Amino acid sequence: MALYGINKRNGGRAKRELAAGVKTGNDLKQVYTIDFSQGGVKIGGAKLQLPLGAPVELFLEKKGEKIPFLGRIARNDGIYHINRIGRDANAFFVKITDERFSAFVKEAYQV
């Protein structure tokens, strides 16, 4: 896991840039996570375009297994530089509606 940046919210939290997948309809795109919270995850991808309010399925990896979570695009966060790929990317916040997500984040990332 790659950790980058200094957190502005509280000193013990770092950004997590991990490869993930986001599925809208039948279209699956590779994205990168930017930051996790209990309610969702900020994702980014080069040329990524997602409509606000659109339902999505987010695939996060844990111990080699891809775990799907249902959510909606809550906001467009504009351009964000992703250190892992060395590029600027379009960033979006996905509000996760899946009840398993909070436990997943606590266990996997200690947020």
Side-chain angles (χ1 to χ4, degrees):
M1 174 173 28
L3 301 177
Y4 298 102
I6 296 171
N7 176 25
K8 295 177 184 173
R9 289 176 279 185
N10 83 33
R13 187 163 162 169
K15 305 256 186 258
R16 291 163 174 86
E17 296 180 353
L18 309 169
V22 67
K23 185 175 182 180
T24 56
N26 292 328
D27 191 19
L28 179 64
K29 299 175 183 176
Q30 167 134 8
V31 296
Y32 296 90
T33 63
I34 296 170
D35 197 11
F36 286 89
S37 70
Q38 293 296 323
V41 60
K42 184 188 284 191
I43 60 170
K47 300 180 183 178
L48 182 64
Q49 295 297 323
L50 300 170
L52 289 178
V56 297
E57 191 171 12
L58 184 68
F59 294 90
L60 299 173
E61 190 172 320
K62 179 181 175 188
K63 298 180 183 175
E65 179 184 358
K66 291 190 178 186
I67 302 170
F69 295 99
L70 298 176
R72 292 197 172 276
I73 303 301
R75 67 178 188 256
N76 180 339
D77 286 347
I79 302 297
Y80 186 88
H81 184 77
I82 298 178
N83 292 331
R84 181 171 178 155
I85 60 174
R87 296 182 64 176
D88 287 341
N90 295 330
F92 296 87
F93 182 77
V94 179
K95 181 172 178 62
I96 302 296
T97 56
D98 194 321
E99 295 175 5
R100 303 172 299 137
F101 184 72
S102 181
F104 172 82
V105 170
K106 283 181 186 177
E107 181 182 321
Y109 303 108
Q110 299 173 353
V111 173

